[in-house]
Amino acid sequence: MKTEMNTVKVRKTEELEAEQLGAHIGEIVRLHGSIYKIRKMSSFAFVLLRTKRQMVQCVYEPAYARFALEELKEEACVRFTAEVIREERSRSGYDLHLLDVEILSEPEEVPPVVINQKRVNTSIENLLDYRPITLRNEKERAVFQIQARICQAFREFLDGQHFTEIHTPKLVAAGAEGGAELFKVQYFDRPAYLAQSPQLYKQILMSTGLDRVYEIGPAFRAEQSNTNRHVTEFISFDGEMSWIQSQNDVMAMIEEIVDHVLRGLKERGAKQLEVLGKEINVPARPYPILTYSECLKMVNDAGLKLNEGDDLGTEGEKIVGDVMGQKGIDLYFIAEYPEEAKPFYIMEKDGTPYSYSFDLDYRGQEVSSGGQREHRYDVLVKRMEKKGLDPEDFEFYLEAFRYGMPPHGGWGIGIERFLVKMLDLPNIREAILFPRDPSRLEP
Ligand code: ATP
């Protein structure tokens, strides 16, 4: 087993990525990472090293290594020198035999939660309180690697559809989604708010020639709801497109985006999905479009008494989700909500109490809402007044409409809610690196 140092090619200066190791059989290599787990066997030990992209199993043999196993501690950051030796019995086809170690940093104490098992077996509170530690677990991390791939797929798809990525201010003078949910902050000598959504800004752009835009950015809601689907800061994937014929154009676009994301993830998220033990179902298209009135009937038939105009709410959405689930349908739109329940910028469905609005629901939960916007200046001002808003407070917004605005519509998808439903996670907080809710402001 022991190879004479002077008979092998030495690559001491080269830091290798784990996946490149197979090409270096017979060589001495260096690689760095954190010691994830030390598994002692009778005459040797396995040392699992967490490297940038994957877990690498190293073999420690006292007769071979030039250091004592006791020098290694779990979670220490190290640089190993090791020999890559062919080993047919190993899954990778080689073993990494440790020669030397350079210890870059050592843990001060044993971590407060056990992280080097298949999953971190602890309460959601611990999971979040100890995020810097619990994320060292592959399963915890995989969720965020998938999240990154979702955003990548959003971008890739919309760039191909001639959308422009934008960034709108998060410190704003007026809210868009309802006053009660605004976080007020002191902006020098006057009040300001944290943006609830990029709604007003993305709409303003519709008249500028930037007529298809999207943004992936934070949205803030001062909601005192301690539910498993609400947080006070989430990432909203917003899009807005002009020259639409109707809200159907917007729904068709979302459907294409979601389909692209789900299909793409099956491939490029395969490794993380395997780690999580999850499979993604890609629903057949087109996604069904239900109306609010149809859903209200479904909910009432199931015994939850709701009146015309009531929000379907968590329970109602769940009932609709169950009915659709029985038909094997995961994703569906709920369209034409009562205009009264929708913000001022949504277009009313002429002569009816409904509106050109929709939600996209994913297995019984709203993950996106959108619709056609009111683009006619005079009608928009009337709608604002009807909602008890003072048009003067929205002058910066109305200006864009006063000088001509094309018909347009858009959507907002909460990416964490989407991820939760896709991966069937129990709580939205598990899909957020550092969640914020009424009782959580750290870490
Ligand atoms: P809900 O009624 O479920 O609270 P909403 O109607 O207030 O949602 P919208 O204002 O339409 O939500 O926001 C669009 C999307 O943003 C939602 O479909 C959801 O995915 C996400 N979202 C909204 N509020 C929150 C929140 N507090 N936490 C996490 N995601 C949210």
Side-chain angles (χ1 to χ4, degrees):
M1 178 76 69
K2 189 166 175 174
T3 313
E4 286 305 319
M5 279 288 291
N6 54 9
T7 64
V8 292
K9 200 163 133 197
V10 178
R11 291 190 158 252
K12 276 209 162 173
T13 50
E14 198 171 336
E15 299 289 342
L16 288 170
E17 293 299 339
E19 56 264 55
Q20 301 170 325
L21 288 171
H24 294 271
I25 289 177
E27 295 179 19
I28 290 184
V29 297
R30 296 214 309 178
L31 73 165
H32 51 230
S34 302
I35 298 179
Y36 185 65
K37 194 169 202 157
I38 302 172
R39 214 179 304 142
K40 288 186 190 154
M41 312 305 270
S42 53
S43 60
F44 69 100
F46 286 118
V47 179
L48 271 181
L49 192 67
R50 189 173 65 243
T51 67
K52 206 166 21 168
R53 284 200 278 269
Q54 69 191 68
M55 209 67 88
V56 182
Q57 180 169 285
C58 306
V59 180
Y60 174 91
E61 274 190 274
Y64 196 79
R66 302 189 199 110
F67 62 94
L69 184 64
E70 290 63 41
E71 286 179 45
L72 304 184
K73 283 189 189 152
E74 286 176 351
E75 286 310 307
C77 298
V78 297
R79 185 172 285 129
F80 279 142
T81 305
E83 185 174 355
V84 192
I85 294 178
R86 188 179 304 283
E87 174 53 77
E88 302 301 342
R89 285 168 299 178
S90 153
R91 242 173 91 183
S92 58
Y94 63 83
D95 265 352
L96 260 184
H97 283 257
L98 296 179
L99 288 167
D100 270 323
V101 63
E102 186 187 340
I103 294 175
L104 306 173
S105 78
E106 282 203 326
E108 290 289 310
E109 51 192 78
V110 176
V113 278
V114 180
I115 49 168
N116 57 11
Q117 288 175 346
K118 267 213 168 335
R119 53 166 311 154
V120 184
N121 220 342
T122 188
S123 64
I124 175 95
E125 283 74 26
N126 277 348
L127 207 61
L128 302 176
D129 286 348
Y130 298 125
R131 252 314 188 218
I133 304 160
T134 52
L135 279 172
R136 296 172 188 210
N137 179 276
E138 206 177 9
K139 253 192 174 151
E140 292 305 315
R141 224 169 35 241
V143 174
F144 301 100
Q145 289 164 329
I146 290 179
Q147 190 182 81
R149 282 177 174 78
I150 292 178
C151 293
Q152 199 181 20
F154 284 154
R155 289 197 167 95
E156 165 189 280
F157 184 80
L158 287 188
D159 291 348
Q161 298 289 319
H162 309 292
F163 276 71
T164 304
E165 181 169 9
I166 56 160
H167 304 283
T168 60
K170 301 304 159 209
L171 280 169
V172 296
E177 314 292 337
E181 294 176 359
L182 278 168
F183 278 115
K184 196 171 178 181
V185 294
Q186 190 62 32
Y187 192 69
F188 302 108
D189 58 351
R190 59 193 163 127
Y193 305 94
L194 296 181
Q196 294 162 309
S197 81
Q199 184 62 37
L200 306 184
Y201 290 95
K202 59 178 185 164
Q203 279 193 263
I204 287 175
L205 294 174
M206 292 300 98
S207 61
T208 65
L210 285 172
D211 55 5
R212 285 183 153 202
V213 297
Y214 73 93
E215 175 167 9
I216 301 176
F220 303 90
R221 304 280 168 100
E223 286 178 306
Q224 277 289 358
S225 21
N226 284 304
T227 70
N228 61 5
R229 65 183 203 156
H230 288 99
V231 278
T232 50
E233 178 178 353
F234 63 95
I235 300 295
S236 185
F237 164 46
D238 270 82
E240 201 72 19
M241 49 201 272
S242 56
W243 309 108
I244 61 167
Q245 305 268 352
S246 75
Q247 63 165 349
N248 289 344
D249 295 349
V250 184
M251 287 192 268
M253 182 61 74
I254 297 187
E255 190 178 298
E256 282 195 62
I257 297 168
V258 170
D259 187 67
H260 175 80
V261 168
L262 295 178
R263 269 176 210 287
L265 272 179
K266 271 182 102 72
E267 226 174 84
R268 57 177 109 164
K271 197 171 135 196
Q272 287 74 26
L273 290 169
E274 193 190 325
V275 167
L276 289 165
K278 305 277 179 184
E279 272 184 32
I280 291 182
N281 173 38
V282 181
R285 294 169 61 196
Y287 303 162
I289 303 174
L290 309 169
T291 62
Y292 163 83
S293 304
E294 282 168 342
C295 292
L296 199 65
K297 183 167 180 321
M298 255 183 223
V299 169
N300 276 306
D301 288 349
L304 177 70
K305 293 297 161 214
L306 290 183
N307 296 317
E308 177 66 35
D310 284 350
D311 186 13
L312 293 178
T314 313
E315 276 309 295
E317 283 176 21
K318 196 173 166 315
I319 291 170
V320 177
D322 290 344
V323 173
M324 298 307 276
Q326 279 157 19
K327 298 180 187 166
I329 296 167
D330 279 356
L331 275 156
Y332 44 91
F333 291 102
I334 302 179
E336 299 189 4
Y337 278 85
E339 68 78 16
E340 224 177 297
K342 287 288 167 184
F344 71 86
Y345 51 78
I346 281 287
M347 187 182 269
E348 292 181 18
K349 189 176 174 196
D350 272 344
T352 73
Y354 302 106
S355 64
Y356 290 120
S357 60
F358 62 82
D359 283 353
L360 175 68
D361 280 34
Y362 196 172
R363 286 198 235 113
Q365 195 175 102
E366 176 198 326
V367 292
S368 173
S369 70
Q372 177 159 11
R373 322 303 189 189
E374 182 49 70
H375 63 281
R376 297 159 295 185
Y377 176 79
D378 50 339
V379 186
L380 183 60
V381 170
K382 282 205 189 86
R383 242 186 98 68
M384 266 182 182
E385 287 166 349
K386 188 164 149 188
K387 297 270 172 193
L389 297 167
D390 183 352
E392 273 191 17
D393 292 342
F394 292 86
E395 186 46 33
F396 73 98
Y397 168 76
L398 286 173
E399 199 171 41
F401 291 76
R402 196 177 292 124
Y403 302 105
M405 174 65 81
H408 61 279
W411 70 86
I413 299 180
I415 65 165
E416 299 89 350
R417 279 213 198 156
F418 184 73
L419 195 57
V420 158
K421 294 313 281 185
M422 196 181 81
L423 297 179
D424 196 21
L425 301 175
N427 193 314
I428 191 169
R429 290 157 186 77
E430 292 193 25
I432 304 177
L433 279 172
F434 302 107
R436 296 288 177 258
D437 63 29
S439 56
R440 184 173 288 278
L441 200 51
E442 285 180 316

